[in-house]
Amino acid sequence: RLGQALDGLNRHEEAEQAYLKAIKNDPNRRILYSHLAAHYYLVDNKEKEKEYTAKMHHFPNADADDGRSTAERLKEWKQKNR
């Protein structure tokens, strides 16, 4: 949640560090990878976005929801609301 708040305040460097720290502390939480992928989408780092989206998809039961990352959902929302 800290990373999301910092992204919302356009404090993207701090947000990235918050996400990475959260993943280091709890590497088995799939949602953290999804949120970090969304962060990289926001800052237009496509390489890192793809990397963390792929990591998110490697979790067991990654298809428990519709399998899309937060970044993928954000892209879809932006396209629909143009």
Side-chain angles (χ1 to χ4, degrees):
R1 301 216 189 272
L2 176 60
Q4 291 172 301
L6 291 166
D7 269 335
L9 295 169
N10 293 318
R11 293 167 54 184
H12 300 299
E13 289 179 21
E14 292 172 86
E16 179 183 27
Q17 293 309 309
Y19 288 121
L20 291 171
K21 183 177 180 179
I23 288 171
K24 182 180 178 184
N25 289 332
D26 193 356
N28 296 315
R29 291 200 62 209
R30 176 180 180 256
I31 192 70
L32 298 175
Y33 296 87
S34 180
H35 288 317
L36 184 54
H39 161 80
Y40 287 127
Y41 171 75
L42 289 172
V43 299
D44 199 32
N45 187 333
K46 292 181 187 347
E47 184 177 314
K48 289 285 191 177
E49 175 197 340
K50 289 178 184 176
E51 175 186 343
Y52 281 89
T53 296
K55 287 181 180 186
M56 185 233 18
H57 285 296
H58 280 82
F59 277 82
N61 298 322
D63 58 350
D65 51 25
D66 65 4
R68 295 180 301 150
S69 71
T70 304
E72 292 163 327
R73 292 170 193 271
L74 183 57
K75 284 182 202 176
E76 181 181 300
W77 180 85
K78 285 182 84 173
Q79 289 175 347
K80 285 182 180 178
N81 292 290
R82 285 186 180 191

